[in-house]
Structure formats: structure tokens, C-alpha cells
Amino acid sequence: MTRDRLGGTNMEEIQLRGALEAILFAVGKAVEVEKLAEAIGCDRGQTEQLLAQLAEQYESGRRGIRLKRLEDSYQLCTGEEYYDCLMRIVSHPPKNALTDAQMEVLAIVAYKQPVTKAQIDRIRGVKSDHAVNRLLEWNLIEEAGRLNAPGHPILFATSRQFLQRFGISSPAELPPISKQQLEHWEEDVWREVQGQRKE
């Protein structure tokens, strides 16, 4: 058999893609590239190449499953075009509808992450406890460490669930926001941090 660009036989490449597919199917959630590479005994570059080939197979074959990249992880998902058919068979609760306040908080976290709740409150001009708690409950945001300031407040960032729900691979794919808005947010956050250090 001819040897492919990964240095193995074509059959070996097919088996490796099959192994990746089996792992992702069995796990049922996003798996980091490094863990996938370790599981199939390949380096990261080879593993990403195999995943790209697998994703292309799903796309070109118009199959009911898609392979999506979520930052540094991959997950098997249902093709969006088949969702209506799936709903006729599977009873699935509707997605939680976000309120204007929750969307506002989510946007601040997405564009300014990592960010504290106090910073979110400062930017919005109102308390955001309820919205933050709901977004945490729905796994759209998550704790991302602590700010190096008095009290060490919790920092929040968007989650993999956020990426999946909004159909993007990383926060870098978010639509651009005006420079004026970013500067306004940065000024508010800077004042809030300086105020904490003086206390």
C-alpha cells in the first residue's frame, strides 16, 4: 500500500480517523486535542490533520453529524439542517431564552473576558447578580480564576457551551465591536480596579 503524508499506510490513517470518531462519539462532549492525540498515539499536528479530514468527510457527505472545533477541543454534533427531523423523534426542552439583561452581561463577558462581577456592574450601571447566576447555571459563562486585587474577586469568561450555542470556534470569531465602546469599557474597568486598590 502507498504511504500517506502522515507517514503511515492509507489503512492506518482510516483506522486512526475511526478511532477518533469512536472516542468522540462515546464521550459525547468536547475532548481536548492533546487527549485525543495521546489516545491514538499520534502527535498533535498529525491528530489535528486527521480531525480536519474527518470534519471534511462529514461536511462533503452531507451527513447528519458534524465535527466542530471549540477552541482547543473537538465535539461531534448534530447537523443543524436536520434539527427539525430530530425534534419529531426526540423530546428535548427548548433552549433557555436570554433576557436583554442576560444578553448584555453575556456580551460584556464575551468581549472583556476575563472580567469580575463588579466590573460588569460598573459597565452596566446596575447590579448583575441574577443575570450572572443564570448564565453560570446555563453554562454559558464559567469561573476563570481570581483578579489580583484586594478581595481577589472571581473572574468570569465564556464557556465551551457558549461557543457551541453561538456556532463559533473561539471568542476571536465574535463580530467586531466599536473602538469607542471598547475604550469606554476599559475606562470603567480601570477606574473600578484603581478604586479597589485604594480601599
Side-chain angles (χ1 to χ4, degrees), residues 141-184:
I141 63 173
E142 61 189 7
E143 294 185 10
R146 300 255 177 185
L147 180 66
N148 186 19
H152 299 287
I154 296 170
L155 290 165
F156 296 102
T158 52
S159 65
R160 286 178 182 167
Q161 181 70 21
F162 167 84
L163 298 177
Q164 187 175 358
R165 178 156 180 179
F166 288 89
I168 57 176
S169 299
S170 77
E173 294 182 14
L174 287 167
I177 193 168
S178 72
K179 184 179 179 182
Q180 182 180 4
Q181 181 65 63
L182 278 176
E183 288 174 351
H184 173 67

mmCIF file of all heavy atoms in Angstrom, residues 141-184:
data_model
loop_
_atom_site.group_PDB
_atom_site.id
_atom_site.type_symbol
_atom_site.label_atom_id
_atom_site.label_comp_id
_atom_site.label_asym_id
_atom_site.label_seq_id
_atom_site.Cartn_x
_atom_site.Cartn_y
_atom_site.Cartn_z
ATOM 1 N N ILE A 141 -21.301 30.937 30.863
ATOM 2 C CA ILE A 141 -20.070 31.529 31.382
ATOM 3 C C ILE A 141 -19.554 30.620 32.494
ATOM 4 O O ILE A 141 -20.282 29.760 32.986
ATOM 5 C CB ILE A 141 -20.268 32.967 31.916
ATOM 6 C CG1 ILE A 141 -21.233 32.988 33.111
ATOM 7 C CG2 ILE A 141 -20.748 33.897 30.806
ATOM 8 C CD1 ILE A 141 -21.334 34.349 33.788
ATOM 9 N N GLU A 142 -18.293 30.819 32.880
ATOM 10 C CA GLU A 142 -17.688 29.995 33.924
ATOM 11 C C GLU A 142 -16.640 30.793 34.675
ATOM 12 O O GLU A 142 -16.182 31.835 34.189
ATOM 13 C CB GLU A 142 -17.056 28.748 33.310
ATOM 14 C CG GLU A 142 -15.951 29.050 32.315
ATOM 15 C CD GLU A 142 -15.483 27.830 31.550
ATOM 16 O OE1 GLU A 142 -16.096 26.762 31.683
ATOM 17 O OE2 GLU A 142 -14.477 27.963 30.811
ATOM 18 N N GLU A 143 -16.274 30.327 35.853
ATOM 19 C CA GLU A 143 -15.231 30.980 36.632
ATOM 20 C C GLU A 143 -13.882 30.746 35.964
ATOM 21 O O GLU A 143 -13.595 29.650 35.494
ATOM 22 C CB GLU A 143 -15.218 30.447 38.064
ATOM 23 C CG GLU A 143 -16.473 30.818 38.837
ATOM 24 C CD GLU A 143 -16.423 30.389 40.300
ATOM 25 O OE1 GLU A 143 -15.333 29.975 40.754
ATOM 26 O OE2 GLU A 143 -17.457 30.488 40.977
ATOM 27 N N ALA A 144 -13.051 31.804 35.923
ATOM 28 C CA ALA A 144 -11.766 31.724 35.228
ATOM 29 C C ALA A 144 -10.638 32.272 36.101
ATOM 30 O O ALA A 144 -9.780 33.011 35.632
ATOM 31 C CB ALA A 144 -11.843 32.482 33.906
ATOM 32 N N GLY A 145 -10.661 31.936 37.390
ATOM 33 C CA GLY A 145 -9.609 32.392 38.277
ATOM 34 C C GLY A 145 -10.042 33.576 39.129
ATOM 35 O O GLY A 145 -11.237 33.859 39.268
ATOM 36 N N ARG A 146 -9.057 34.276 39.680
ATOM 37 C CA ARG A 146 -9.311 35.406 40.566
ATOM 38 C C ARG A 146 -8.471 36.598 40.138
ATOM 39 O O ARG A 146 -7.343 36.447 39.674
ATOM 40 C CB ARG A 146 -8.950 35.041 42.005
ATOM 41 C CG ARG A 146 -9.743 33.852 42.556
ATOM 42 C CD ARG A 146 -10.780 34.320 43.505
ATOM 43 N NE ARG A 146 -11.625 33.219 44.008
ATOM 44 C CZ ARG A 146 -12.659 33.412 44.788
ATOM 45 N NH1 ARG A 146 -12.985 34.641 45.166
ATOM 46 N NH2 ARG A 146 -13.400 32.405 45.201
ATOM 47 N N LEU A 147 -9.033 37.807 40.323
ATOM 48 C CA LEU A 147 -8.313 39.040 39.997
ATOM 49 C C LEU A 147 -7.289 39.321 41.082
ATOM 50 O O LEU A 147 -7.567 39.178 42.272
ATOM 51 C CB LEU A 147 -9.297 40.207 39.896
ATOM 52 C CG LEU A 147 -8.703 41.577 39.549
ATOM 53 C CD1 LEU A 147 -8.142 41.568 38.143
ATOM 54 C CD2 LEU A 147 -9.762 42.668 39.688
ATOM 55 N N ASN A 148 -6.075 39.730 40.683
ATOM 56 C CA ASN A 148 -5.020 40.055 41.643
ATOM 57 C C ASN A 148 -5.258 41.463 42.178
ATOM 58 O O ASN A 148 -4.609 42.431 41.783
ATOM 59 C CB ASN A 148 -3.653 39.949 40.968
ATOM 60 C CG ASN A 148 -2.516 40.136 41.968
ATOM 61 O OD1 ASN A 148 -2.726 39.984 43.173
ATOM 62 N ND2 ASN A 148 -1.347 40.470 41.476
ATOM 63 N N ALA A 149 -6.238 41.563 43.068
ATOM 64 C CA ALA A 149 -6.634 42.832 43.678
ATOM 65 C C ALA A 149 -7.227 42.513 45.036
ATOM 66 O O ALA A 149 -7.522 41.351 45.326
ATOM 67 C CB ALA A 149 -7.656 43.552 42.792
ATOM 68 N N PRO A 150 -7.391 43.517 45.914
ATOM 69 C CA PRO A 150 -7.970 43.253 47.234
ATOM 70 C C PRO A 150 -9.274 42.471 47.152
ATOM 71 O O PRO A 150 -10.149 42.794 46.353
ATOM 72 C CB PRO A 150 -8.197 44.668 47.796
ATOM 73 C CG PRO A 150 -7.142 45.483 47.142
ATOM 74 C CD PRO A 150 -7.007 44.933 45.754
ATOM 75 N N GLY A 151 -9.391 41.449 47.990
ATOM 76 C CA GLY A 151 -10.577 40.610 47.979
ATOM 77 C C GLY A 151 -10.515 39.487 46.972
ATOM 78 O O GLY A 151 -11.304 38.552 47.017
ATOM 79 N N HIS A 152 -9.588 39.583 46.014
ATOM 80 C CA HIS A 152 -9.427 38.572 44.960
ATOM 81 C C HIS A 152 -10.765 38.133 44.375
ATOM 82 O O HIS A 152 -11.150 36.964 44.464
ATOM 83 C CB HIS A 152 -8.656 37.363 45.489
ATOM 84 C CG HIS A 152 -7.276 37.712 45.967
ATOM 85 N ND1 HIS A 152 -6.249 38.013 45.096
ATOM 86 C CD2 HIS A 152 -6.774 37.835 47.225
ATOM 87 C CE1 HIS A 152 -5.165 38.285 45.797
ATOM 88 N NE2 HIS A 152 -5.455 38.206 47.090
ATOM 89 N N PRO A 153 -11.522 39.064 43.748
ATOM 90 C CA PRO A 153 -12.830 38.699 43.189
ATOM 91 C C PRO A 153 -12.719 37.685 42.057
ATOM 92 O O PRO A 153 -11.703 37.617 41.371
ATOM 93 C CB PRO A 153 -13.376 40.038 42.677
ATOM 94 C CG PRO A 153 -12.163 40.873 42.432
ATOM 95 C CD PRO A 153 -11.174 40.465 43.483
ATOM 96 N N ILE A 154 -13.789 36.913 41.882
ATOM 97 C CA ILE A 154 -13.832 35.883 40.837
ATOM 98 C C ILE A 154 -13.862 36.532 39.458
ATOM 99 O O ILE A 154 -14.548 37.529 39.228
ATOM 100 C CB ILE A 154 -15.083 34.996 41.010
ATOM 101 C CG1 ILE A 154 -15.016 34.240 42.333
ATOM 102 C CG2 ILE A 154 -15.228 34.020 39.846
ATOM 103 C CD1 ILE A 154 -16.312 33.536 42.706
ATOM 104 N N LEU A 155 -13.103 35.959 38.541
ATOM 105 C CA LEU A 155 -13.123 36.381 37.136
ATOM 106 C C LEU A 155 -14.029 35.427 36.354
ATOM 107 O O LEU A 155 -14.049 34.226 36.608
ATOM 108 C CB LEU A 155 -11.710 36.339 36.548
ATOM 109 C CG LEU A 155 -10.734 37.398 37.068
ATOM 110 C CD1 LEU A 155 -9.297 37.024 36.709
ATOM 111 C CD2 LEU A 155 -11.080 38.772 36.493
ATOM 112 N N PHE A 156 -14.775 35.984 35.409
ATOM 113 C CA PHE A 156 -15.674 35.184 34.581
ATOM 114 C C PHE A 156 -15.246 35.238 33.112
ATOM 115 O O PHE A 156 -14.746 36.253 32.635
ATOM 116 C CB PHE A 156 -17.108 35.688 34.719
ATOM 117 C CG PHE A 156 -17.669 35.538 36.108
ATOM 118 C CD1 PHE A 156 -17.738 36.621 36.963
ATOM 119 C CD2 PHE A 156 -18.113 34.297 36.558
ATOM 120 C CE1 PHE A 156 -18.241 36.491 38.252
ATOM 121 C CE2 PHE A 156 -18.615 34.148 37.845
ATOM 122 C CZ PHE A 156 -18.677 35.249 38.691
ATOM 123 N N ALA A 157 -15.460 34.119 32.422
ATOM 124 C CA ALA A 157 -15.174 34.024 30.985
ATOM 125 C C ALA A 157 -16.256 33.170 30.336
ATOM 126 O O ALA A 157 -17.010 32.481 31.027
ATOM 127 C CB ALA A 157 -13.800 33.398 30.757
ATOM 128 N N THR A 158 -16.340 33.219 29.023
ATOM 129 C CA THR A 158 -17.311 32.390 28.318
ATOM 130 C C THR A 158 -16.862 30.927 28.343
ATOM 131 O O THR A 158 -15.684 30.629 28.503
ATOM 132 C CB THR A 158 -17.485 32.856 26.860
ATOM 133 O OG1 THR A 158 -16.194 32.944 26.237
ATOM 134 C CG2 THR A 158 -18.186 34.191 26.801
ATOM 135 N N SER A 159 -17.815 30.020 28.153
ATOM 136 C CA SER A 159 -17.563 28.583 28.241
ATOM 137 C C SER A 159 -17.610 27.921 26.862
ATOM 138 O O SER A 159 -17.948 28.553 25.856
ATOM 139 C CB SER A 159 -18.638 27.949 29.131
ATOM 140 O OG SER A 159 -19.897 28.098 28.498
ATOM 141 N N ARG A 160 -17.316 26.629 26.830
ATOM 142 C CA ARG A 160 -17.463 25.863 25.585
ATOM 143 C C ARG A 160 -18.923 25.824 25.154
ATOM 144 O O ARG A 160 -19.230 25.827 23.964
ATOM 145 C CB ARG A 160 -16.948 24.434 25.792
ATOM 146 C CG ARG A 160 -15.437 24.333 25.862
ATOM 147 C CD ARG A 160 -15.027 22.910 26.110
ATOM 148 N NE ARG A 160 -13.584 22.793 26.232
ATOM 149 C CZ ARG A 160 -12.967 21.710 26.694
ATOM 150 N NH1 ARG A 160 -13.685 20.664 27.056
ATOM 151 N NH2 ARG A 160 -11.655 21.655 26.775
ATOM 152 N N GLN A 161 -19.835 25.770 26.138
ATOM 153 C CA GLN A 161 -21.264 25.775 25.828
ATOM 154 C C GLN A 161 -21.639 27.059 25.080
ATOM 155 O O GLN A 161 -22.465 27.042 24.167
ATOM 156 C CB GLN A 161 -22.076 25.654 27.123
ATOM 157 C CG GLN A 161 -23.586 25.633 26.940
ATOM 158 C CD GLN A 161 -24.085 24.354 26.302
ATOM 159 O OE1 GLN A 161 -23.394 23.337 26.332
ATOM 160 N NE2 GLN A 161 -25.256 24.399 25.717
ATOM 161 N N PHE A 162 -21.034 28.174 25.476
ATOM 162 C CA PHE A 162 -21.256 29.450 24.783
ATOM 163 C C PHE A 162 -20.817 29.344 23.324
ATOM 164 O O PHE A 162 -21.550 29.752 22.411
ATOM 165 C CB PHE A 162 -20.474 30.559 25.496
ATOM 166 C CG PHE A 162 -20.371 31.843 24.714
ATOM 167 C CD1 PHE A 162 -21.382 32.786 24.754
ATOM 168 C CD2 PHE A 162 -19.246 32.109 23.940
ATOM 169 C CE1 PHE A 162 -21.288 33.965 24.035
ATOM 170 C CE2 PHE A 162 -19.142 33.285 23.210
ATOM 171 C CZ PHE A 162 -20.168 34.223 23.255
ATOM 172 N N LEU A 163 -19.632 28.803 23.105
ATOM 173 C CA LEU A 163 -19.123 28.660 21.731
ATOM 174 C C LEU A 163 -20.061 27.788 20.902
ATOM 175 O O LEU A 163 -20.379 28.122 19.754
ATOM 176 C CB LEU A 163 -17.720 28.044 21.750
ATOM 177 C CG LEU A 163 -16.626 28.836 22.473
ATOM 178 C CD1 LEU A 163 -15.320 28.049 22.471
ATOM 179 C CD2 LEU A 163 -16.423 30.199 21.833
ATOM 180 N N GLN A 164 -20.503 26.683 21.497
ATOM 181 C CA GLN A 164 -21.386 25.760 20.779
ATOM 182 C C GLN A 164 -22.723 26.423 20.458
ATOM 183 O O GLN A 164 -23.231 26.310 19.343
ATOM 184 C CB GLN A 164 -21.601 24.505 21.615
ATOM 185 C CG GLN A 164 -22.374 23.417 20.873
ATOM 186 C CD GLN A 164 -22.462 22.139 21.689
ATOM 187 O OE1 GLN A 164 -21.920 22.044 22.794
ATOM 188 N NE2 GLN A 164 -23.153 21.149 21.155
ATOM 189 N N ARG A 165 -23.289 27.131 21.438
ATOM 190 C CA ARG A 165 -24.598 27.743 21.234
ATOM 191 C C ARG A 165 -24.564 28.820 20.164
ATOM 192 O O ARG A 165 -25.503 28.965 19.387
ATOM 193 C CB ARG A 165 -25.114 28.322 22.547
ATOM 194 C CG ARG A 165 -26.452 29.027 22.402
ATOM 195 C CD ARG A 165 -27.216 29.090 23.678
ATOM 196 N NE ARG A 165 -28.482 29.772 23.509
ATOM 197 C CZ ARG A 165 -29.371 29.949 24.457
ATOM 198 N NH1 ARG A 165 -29.147 29.465 25.663
ATOM 199 N NH2 ARG A 165 -30.496 30.589 24.239
ATOM 200 N N PHE A 166 -23.459 29.571 20.110
ATOM 201 C CA PHE A 166 -23.377 30.664 19.147
ATOM 202 C C PHE A 166 -22.641 30.270 17.871
ATOM 203 O O PHE A 166 -22.399 31.105 17.007
ATOM 204 C CB PHE A 166 -22.739 31.888 19.800
ATOM 205 C CG PHE A 166 -23.658 32.558 20.788
ATOM 206 C CD1 PHE A 166 -23.671 32.169 22.119
ATOM 207 C CD2 PHE A 166 -24.547 33.539 20.382
ATOM 208 C CE1 PHE A 166 -24.544 32.762 23.035
ATOM 209 C CE2 PHE A 166 -25.421 34.135 21.283
ATOM 210 C CZ PHE A 166 -25.427 33.739 22.617
ATOM 211 N N GLY A 167 -22.283 28.995 17.741
ATOM 212 C CA GLY A 167 -21.728 28.476 16.496
ATOM 213 C C GLY A 167 -20.375 29.021 16.111
ATOM 214 O O GLY A 167 -20.099 29.230 14.927
ATOM 215 N N ILE A 168 -19.508 29.264 17.109
ATOM 216 C CA ILE A 168 -18.162 29.756 16.817
ATOM 217 C C ILE A 168 -17.139 28.825 17.460
ATOM 218 O O ILE A 168 -17.462 28.056 18.359
ATOM 219 C CB ILE A 168 -17.952 31.197 17.314
ATOM 220 C CG1 ILE A 168 -18.232 31.304 18.825
ATOM 221 C CG2 ILE A 168 -18.826 32.168 16.530
ATOM 222 C CD1 ILE A 168 -17.956 32.676 19.410
ATOM 223 N N SER A 169 -15.886 28.911 16.977
ATOM 224 C CA SER A 169 -14.833 28.046 17.493
ATOM 225 C C SER A 169 -14.057 28.683 18.634
ATOM 226 O O SER A 169 -13.459 27.993 19.451
ATOM 227 C CB SER A 169 -13.851 27.675 16.374
ATOM 228 O OG SER A 169 -14.523 26.972 15.358
ATOM 229 N N SER A 170 -14.026 30.020 18.684
ATOM 230 C CA SER A 170 -13.314 30.731 19.743
ATOM 231 C C SER A 170 -13.868 32.145 19.834
ATOM 232 O O SER A 170 -14.500 32.643 18.890
ATOM 233 C CB SER A 170 -11.816 30.774 19.453
ATOM 234 O OG SER A 170 -11.540 31.745 18.461
ATOM 235 N N PRO A 171 -13.624 32.841 20.961
ATOM 236 C CA PRO A 171 -14.099 34.231 21.087
ATOM 237 C C PRO A 171 -13.544 35.159 20.006
ATOM 238 O O PRO A 171 -14.130 36.202 19.724
ATOM 239 C CB PRO A 171 -13.588 34.638 22.480
ATOM 240 C CG PRO A 171 -13.513 33.351 23.241
ATOM 241 C CD PRO A 171 -13.060 32.337 22.221
ATOM 242 N N ALA A 172 -12.438 34.758 19.386
ATOM 243 C CA ALA A 172 -11.841 35.581 18.318
ATOM 244 C C ALA A 172 -12.783 35.712 17.120
ATOM 245 O O ALA A 172 -12.641 36.633 16.315
ATOM 246 C CB ALA A 172 -10.509 34.979 17.880
ATOM 247 N N GLU A 173 -13.748 34.804 16.996
ATOM 248 C CA GLU A 173 -14.688 34.839 15.873
ATOM 249 C C GLU A 173 -15.915 35.708 16.152
ATOM 250 O O GLU A 173 -16.793 35.827 15.297
ATOM 251 C CB GLU A 173 -15.143 33.417 15.520
ATOM 252 C CG GLU A 173 -14.032 32.547 14.977
ATOM 253 C CD GLU A 173 -14.517 31.156 14.599
ATOM 254 O OE1 GLU A 173 -15.747 30.949 14.504
ATOM 255 O OE2 GLU A 173 -13.673 30.271 14.414
ATOM 256 N N LEU A 174 -15.980 36.315 17.325
ATOM 257 C CA LEU A 174 -17.103 37.213 17.626
ATOM 258 C C LEU A 174 -17.080 38.392 16.672
ATOM 259 O O LEU A 174 -16.000 38.853 16.271
ATOM 260 C CB LEU A 174 -17.002 37.726 19.066
ATOM 261 C CG LEU A 174 -17.322 36.711 20.173
ATOM 262 C CD1 LEU A 174 -16.870 37.259 21.520
ATOM 263 C CD2 LEU A 174 -18.808 36.401 20.205
ATOM 264 N N PRO A 175 -18.247 38.927 16.298
ATOM 265 C CA PRO A 175 -18.258 40.096 15.421
ATOM 266 C C PRO A 175 -17.564 41.268 16.087
ATOM 267 O O PRO A 175 -17.577 41.389 17.318
ATOM 268 C CB PRO A 175 -19.749 40.384 15.196
ATOM 269 C CG PRO A 175 -20.470 39.593 16.226
ATOM 270 C CD PRO A 175 -19.585 38.469 16.651
ATOM 271 N N PRO A 176 -16.908 42.130 15.301
ATOM 272 C CA PRO A 176 -16.175 43.256 15.894
ATOM 273 C C PRO A 176 -17.096 44.222 16.617
ATOM 274 O O PRO A 176 -18.261 44.379 16.267
ATOM 275 C CB PRO A 176 -15.509 43.927 14.687
ATOM 276 C CG PRO A 176 -16.335 43.504 13.511
ATOM 277 C CD PRO A 176 -16.842 42.137 13.833
ATOM 278 N N ILE A 177 -16.553 44.854 17.653
ATOM 279 C CA ILE A 177 -17.297 45.857 18.406
ATOM 280 C C ILE A 177 -16.588 47.196 18.221
ATOM 281 O O ILE A 177 -15.385 47.238 17.975
ATOM 282 C CB ILE A 177 -17.378 45.467 19.893
ATOM 283 C CG1 ILE A 177 -18.399 46.320 20.625
ATOM 284 C CG2 ILE A 177 -16.025 45.553 20.568
ATOM 285 C CD1 ILE A 177 -18.748 45.808 22.014
ATOM 286 N N SER A 178 -17.329 48.285 18.315
ATOM 287 C CA SER A 178 -16.745 49.595 18.032
ATOM 288 C C SER A 178 -15.609 49.917 18.997
ATOM 289 O O SER A 178 -15.638 49.572 20.181
ATOM 290 C CB SER A 178 -17.812 50.689 18.122
ATOM 291 O OG SER A 178 -18.177 50.923 19.468
ATOM 292 N N LYS A 179 -14.605 50.604 18.475
ATOM 293 C CA LYS A 179 -13.453 51.006 19.283
ATOM 294 C C LYS A 179 -13.895 51.922 20.418
ATOM 295 O O LYS A 179 -13.383 51.849 21.533
ATOM 296 C CB LYS A 179 -12.435 51.713 18.389
ATOM 297 C CG LYS A 179 -11.146 52.082 19.111
ATOM 298 C CD LYS A 179 -10.179 52.754 18.160
ATOM 299 C CE LYS A 179 -8.908 53.151 18.900
ATOM 300 N NZ LYS A 179 -7.947 53.861 18.011
ATOM 301 N N GLN A 180 -14.879 52.766 20.143
ATOM 302 C CA GLN A 180 -15.385 53.695 21.148
ATOM 303 C C GLN A 180 -15.996 52.941 22.332
ATOM 304 O O GLN A 180 -15.764 53.283 23.489
ATOM 305 C CB GLN A 180 -16.438 54.622 20.528
ATOM 306 C CG GLN A 180 -16.984 55.659 21.496
ATOM 307 C CD GLN A 180 -18.032 56.542 20.828
ATOM 308 O OE1 GLN A 180 -18.400 56.337 19.676
ATOM 309 N NE2 GLN A 180 -18.502 57.532 21.567
ATOM 310 N N GLN A 181 -16.762 51.881 22.043
ATOM 311 C CA GLN A 181 -17.372 51.094 23.115
ATOM 312 C C GLN A 181 -16.315 50.383 23.946
ATOM 313 O O GLN A 181 -16.384 50.335 25.172
ATOM 314 C CB GLN A 181 -18.345 50.064 22.525
ATOM 315 C CG GLN A 181 -19.055 49.211 23.564
ATOM 316 C CD GLN A 181 -19.977 50.011 24.463
ATOM 317 O OE1 GLN A 181 -20.937 50.599 24.002
ATOM 318 N NE2 GLN A 181 -19.674 50.057 25.752
ATOM 319 N N LEU A 182 -15.297 49.822 23.272
ATOM 320 C CA LEU A 182 -14.224 49.142 23.984
ATOM 321 C C LEU A 182 -13.472 50.099 24.898
ATOM 322 O O LEU A 182 -13.152 49.770 26.039
ATOM 323 C CB LEU A 182 -13.249 48.507 22.979
ATOM 324 C CG LEU A 182 -13.639 47.148 22.402
ATOM 325 C CD1 LEU A 182 -12.631 46.717 21.351
ATOM 326 C CD2 LEU A 182 -13.730 46.096 23.497
ATOM 327 N N GLU A 183 -13.184 51.296 24.389
ATOM 328 C CA GLU A 183 -12.474 52.283 25.196
ATOM 329 C C GLU A 183 -13.298 52.680 26.413
ATOM 330 O O GLU A 183 -12.765 52.856 27.512
ATOM 331 C CB GLU A 183 -12.138 53.515 24.350
ATOM 332 C CG GLU A 183 -11.025 53.256 23.334
ATOM 333 C CD GLU A 183 -10.813 54.443 22.399
ATOM 334 O OE1 GLU A 183 -11.651 55.387 22.441
ATOM 335 O OE2 GLU A 183 -9.840 54.418 21.635
ATOM 336 N N HIS A 184 -14.610 52.815 26.225
ATOM 337 C CA HIS A 184 -15.498 53.166 27.325
ATOM 338 C C HIS A 184 -15.468 52.070 28.399
ATOM 339 O O HIS A 184 -15.376 52.351 29.595
ATOM 340 C CB HIS A 184 -16.923 53.350 26.790
ATOM 341 C CG HIS A 184 -17.950 53.561 27.861
ATOM 342 N ND1 HIS A 184 -17.983 54.689 28.643
ATOM 343 C CD2 HIS A 184 -18.974 52.765 28.292
ATOM 344 C CE1 HIS A 184 -18.989 54.591 29.509
ATOM 345 N NE2 HIS A 184 -19.597 53.421 29.314
#
